[in-house]
Amino acid sequence: MEDFAARLPKAELHLHLEGSVDAGMLHELDPAAPLEELRALYQYADFNAFLKSFGAVVKRLERPEDYALVTRRLLERLAAQNVRYVEIIIAAGVVLWKKQEFGPIFDAIHDAARGSAVEVRWILDAVRQFGVEPAMEVAHLAAARQDRGVVAIGIGGSEERGPAEWFKDVYAFAKSEGLHLTAHAGEGTSPESVWEALVLGAERIGHGIAAVRDQGLLRHLRERDIPLEISITSNLVTGVVKSLEEHPLRALYDAGVPIVLNTDDPAMFGCTLTDEYRLAAKAFGFTEAELTGIAENGFRYGFGRKGVT
Ligand code: HPA
Ligand code: ZN
């Protein structure tokens, strides 16, 4: 299995650029910052503490060159794991919150991804609890960059402090512009939150693990062919799932819901995509044939190319 998971051609559909930044990279960007202080950012007691740390890491990415450097590092790591296709989520909502200009940052990461062995597309994420206005701005930023590989918008952050229904007009606008739609939902909350994301028109659900508690929702996801972007280690580290034994991956898979495996925030959760596949095999008995099918889902459910340069 060790070699099988490593060799398998893989795709990632739920991977935050900023969550791929480790303490070493932050130190490289700011050598004056004590390493111990930077390492302390990578400890979280719960999901909300994780969100705070995520924000603190993003704050340390100041210049477009910083974003470019971490993009190159991420793509090197993905190529080494035989990841062939990736949709990288950019916390555009946090860029706006930092009062930075998004254009030069996107230009820098787009340039950094040129020539990579990994085929790259981008998803611009808004932050739920920041509200509708900045989310609409994120949708406009995404719509204007579809010729450069932006394929979708999403919402992340706190489901409790930013209900999906707030973003109805944002998603309708994004759809009318030809963008695809995804949303973090049902991560630490409820099946209702997943239903709300579906009402918005989400074509994939980030996490969505709460769906396991709603048979009707499982049926809906299966029949409408809507995949869940699952990240096992993420769920354990943020504490939304209390133990590996309690993780619903096997139950969701057995219910016929399309599954894609992802790292979410690999540096912040100390995981790799290859290890997520190994974990699925070890903890839940996924066979090589099943893992091959899951890896194929990564390509099948990708939002893909449309006249990209
Ligand atoms: N959920 C919500 N917000 C996030 C996540 C996540 O998994 N990762 C980064 N921001
Ligand atoms: Zn995420």
Side-chain angles (χ1 to χ4, degrees):
M1 182 53 71
E2 287 285 300
D3 287 329
F4 174 79
R7 276 198 314 268
L8 193 61
K10 294 175 286 294
E12 275 226 61
L13 302 183
H14 189 131
L15 169 53
H16 299 262
L17 174 66
E18 303 84 349
S20 76
V21 178
D22 60 27
M25 288 186 226
L26 290 182
H27 195 250
E28 207 178 327
L29 296 175
D30 180 9
L35 198 50
E36 280 320 301
E37 208 172 279
L38 297 173
R39 288 204 180 112
L41 289 175
Y42 292 77
Q43 277 153 19
Y44 348 97
D46 57 26
F47 180 72
N48 281 316
F50 159 71
L51 288 182
K52 242 178 148 168
S53 276
F54 182 85
V57 169
V58 184
K59 248 174 138 170
R60 293 191 152 270
L61 302 176
E62 290 176 359
R63 302 162 304 169
E65 305 92 88
D66 299 347
Y67 277 87
L69 174 80
V70 300
T71 300
R72 281 194 298 274
R73 289 286 156 77
L74 169 60
L75 290 169
E76 284 162 16
R77 289 177 179 185
L78 294 177
Q81 292 176 71
N82 207 12
V83 174
R84 306 275 178 89
Y85 177 84
V86 63
E87 292 179 3
I88 302 177
I89 305 171
I90 309 299
V94 185
V95 172
L96 299 176
W97 173 77
K98 288 191 290 181
K99 306 244 180 289
Q100 289 174 338
E101 232 186 300
F102 183 74
I105 290 174
F106 184 78
D107 293 348
I109 59 177
H110 181 260
D111 213 47
R114 225 187 271 279
S116 167
V118 189
E119 191 173 347
V120 179
R121 298 292 181 271
W122 310 97
I123 296 172
L124 303 193
D125 235 24
V127 181
R128 283 169 173 262
Q129 66 271 26
F130 291 176
V132 177
E133 250 176 66
M136 188 58 105
E137 205 172 325
V138 168
H140 280 272
L141 293 170
R145 289 168 177 79
Q146 295 183 77
D147 59 343
R148 291 195 287 160
V150 174
V151 290
I153 59 153
I155 43 173
S158 171
E159 294 172 61
E160 276 143 2
R161 288 178 279 145
E165 62 186 6
W166 286 2
F167 305 99
K168 197 165 44 70
D169 294 344
V170 174
Y171 273 62
F173 166 76
K175 188 176 179 182
S176 74
E177 289 287 318
L179 287 160
H180 287 282
L181 309 173
T182 181
H184 287 74
E187 181 178 10
T189 58
S190 60
E192 287 70 34
S193 179
V194 178
W195 281 117
E196 285 177 24
L198 294 171
V199 169
L200 283 185
E203 301 160 76
R204 302 195 312 237
I205 300 292
H207 301 285
I209 50 177
V212 77
R213 307 203 299 267
D214 181 337
Q215 290 299 321
L217 178 53
L218 292 175
R219 195 179 325 113
H220 184 90
L221 294 170
R222 185 177 64 236
E223 287 173 358
R224 303 292 169 95
D225 200 23
I226 293 169
L228 300 183
E229 304 159 357
I230 298 286
S231 302
I232 310 166
T233 304
S234 162
N235 297 153
L236 295 172
V237 176
T238 62
V240 296
V241 175
K242 298 301 168 209
S243 69
L244 189 53
E245 297 70 41
E246 288 171 62
H247 197 284
L249 170 59
R250 185 86 232 183
L252 293 163
Y253 182 90
D254 289 346
V257 176
I259 299 293
V260 181
L261 278 181
N262 309 273
T263 54
D264 200 11
D265 298 281
M268 300 196 70
F269 302 135
C271 59
T272 68
L273 188 60
T274 301
D275 281 340
E276 292 296 295
Y277 277 79
R278 288 178 180 142
L279 189 57
K282 193 158 165 243
F284 305 111
F286 280 89
T287 65
E288 292 187 359
E290 286 173 331
L291 292 181
T292 301
I294 288 176
E296 285 168 358
N297 282 348
F299 297 93
R300 174 174 309 132
Y301 293 101
F303 292 139
R305 56 172 67 227
K306 20 189 253 178
V308 169
T309 55

